[in-house]
């Protein structure tokens, strides 16, 4: 992972090094609705997971722009993952006690995304659309379980191997595609604000294990929707 982080840092610093060519700086952040698509090799349908409400932050540099097209590069952090339910059973009630425990898995990423956008520039409003490649670098995961009242259950070892499953099996780098649209509102000759919505789909699975012995192979993909507020500062006169 250190190599991937170093590569992202070098690319971003190289762009900063050409400050005279930078047209604008953007900062955005907001809501992320994330879910997981998990499928075992021996089952025709994906496992049931519950989407989560999360967040994402992004900083970008725009270094080429025309009234119709623009090109920029951004680096950001995003939290993805999912929730799932586990029915509580006991030796005397193997069919279940009626109590449900909620598992919460969180996956944290640093991403790099070069972006080519098509826009319609007017004096005050700039609507735009984009489809961009994305590289996600896996940082760390967390896994907790909670009672129906939301209180956290202490890990007494009963979580088993699943607690560290993603930590031990997650790919270091994921490739994906982000597509979306936004609206930029110019409030000053050098400043604009806006809103943006996007769908983030992964091309490579976060986890892929092969069937062997008593273990069933599994593929797990992230998917997410984001809605963000965007601040943009133009360098020089617009």
């Amino acid at each position: 992972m250190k190599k991937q982080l170093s590569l992202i840092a070098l690319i971003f610093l190289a762009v900063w090094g050409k400050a005279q060519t930078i047209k604008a700086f953007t900062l955005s952040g907001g809501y992320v609705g994330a879910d997981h698509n998990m499928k075992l090799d021996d089952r025709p349908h994906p496992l049931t997971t519950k989407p989560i409400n999360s967040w994402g932050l992004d900083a970008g540099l725009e270094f080429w722009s025309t009234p119709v097209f623009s090109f920029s590069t951004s680096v950001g952090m995003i939290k993805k993952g999912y929730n799932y339910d586990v029915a509580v059973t006991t030796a005397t009630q193997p069919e279940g006690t009626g109590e449900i425990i909620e598992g919460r898995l969180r996956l944290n990423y640093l991403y790099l995304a070069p972006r080519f956008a098509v826009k319609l520039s007017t004096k005050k409003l700039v609507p735009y659309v984009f489809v961009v490649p994305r590289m996600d670098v896996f940082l760390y995961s967390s896994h907790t379980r909670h009672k129906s009242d939301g209180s956290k259950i202490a890990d007494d070892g009963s979580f088993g191997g699943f607690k560290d499953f993603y930590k031990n099996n997650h790919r270091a780098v994921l490739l994906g595609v982000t597509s979306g649209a936004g609206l930029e509102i110019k409030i000053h000759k050098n400043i604009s604000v806006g809103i943006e919505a996007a769908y983030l789909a992964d091309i490579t699975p976060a986890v892929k294990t092969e069937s062997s012995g008593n273990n069933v192979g599994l593929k797990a993909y992230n998917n997410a929707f984001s809605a963000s507020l965007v601040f943009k500062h133009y360098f020089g006169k617009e």
Side-chain angles (χ1 to χ4, degrees):
M1 186 177 74
K2 291 182 179 179
K3 291 182 179 180
Q4 287 80 14
L5 292 175
S6 297
L7 176 61
I8 289 178
L10 287 173
I11 293 174
F12 206 64
L13 287 173
V15 175
W16 268 115
K18 295 183 177 295
Q20 69 277 10
T21 67
I22 296 173
K23 303 299 182 182
F25 167 77
T26 61
L27 184 65
S28 64
Y31 169 80
V32 172
D35 202 354
H36 224 52
N37 185 338
M38 300 176 64
K39 186 175 180 181
L40 297 173
D41 289 348
D42 64 347
R43 297 189 185 183
H45 303 293
L47 299 177
T48 300
T49 61
K50 299 191 299 183
I52 64 168
N53 299 318
S54 186
W55 56 269
L57 296 172
D58 184 287
L61 298 173
E62 181 179 274
F63 49 91
W64 179 71
S65 179
T66 73
V68 180
F69 303 110
S70 67
F71 183 76
S72 60
T73 280
S74 62
V75 172
M77 291 191 67
I78 189 169
K79 183 186 289 288
K80 301 180 183 180
Y82 63 93
N83 295 342
Y84 63 94
D85 290 336
V86 178
V88 177
T89 61
T90 65
T92 57
Q93 294 177 288
E95 74 284 356
T97 65
E99 182 182 358
I100 300 295
I101 290 176
E102 183 181 66
R104 301 177 184 178
L105 180 78
R106 300 296 181 263
L107 305 169
N108 297 271
Y109 300 91
L110 177 71
Y111 65 83
L112 172 69
R115 181 159 92 170
F116 181 78
V118 179
K119 59 185 180 177
L120 178 62
S121 299
T122 66
K123 187 174 181 180
K124 291 293 184 181
L125 302 178
V126 184
Y128 58 90
V129 296
F130 57 90
V131 178
V132 302
R134 191 186 71 256
M135 182 174 73
D136 292 351
V137 177
F138 178 57
L139 299 177
Y140 63 94
S141 64
S142 64
H143 179 219
T144 57
R145 288 185 178 180
H146 300 257
K147 296 180 180 180
S148 56
D149 62 3
S151 60
K152 185 176 178 181
I153 301 173
D155 182 9
D156 58 1
S158 61
F159 285 15
F162 185 70
K163 181 176 186 296
D164 295 321
F165 177 77
Y166 279 82
K167 177 181 177 181
N168 297 330
N169 293 281
H170 199 293
R171 294 189 178 191
V173 176
L174 305 180
L175 299 179
V177 175
T178 300
S179 57
L183 177 65
E184 179 183 341
I185 304 169
K186 298 178 181 179
I187 60 175
H188 185 269
K189 65 179 180 180
N190 295 105
I191 297 174
S192 69
V193 296
I195 55 175
E196 186 174 289
Y199 179 73
L200 296 78
D202 284 359
I203 297 173
T204 53
V207 172
K208 180 181 179 181
T209 61
E210 302 295 337
S211 299
S212 61
N214 295 325
N215 296 320
V216 179
L218 176 144
K219 288 183 180 179
Y221 292 86
N222 289 309
N223 55 76
F225 168 82
S226 67
S228 303
L229 297 176
V230 184
F231 169 84
K232 189 171 186 178
H233 174 73
Y234 290 93
F235 297 105
K237 293 183 178 180
E238 254 293 279

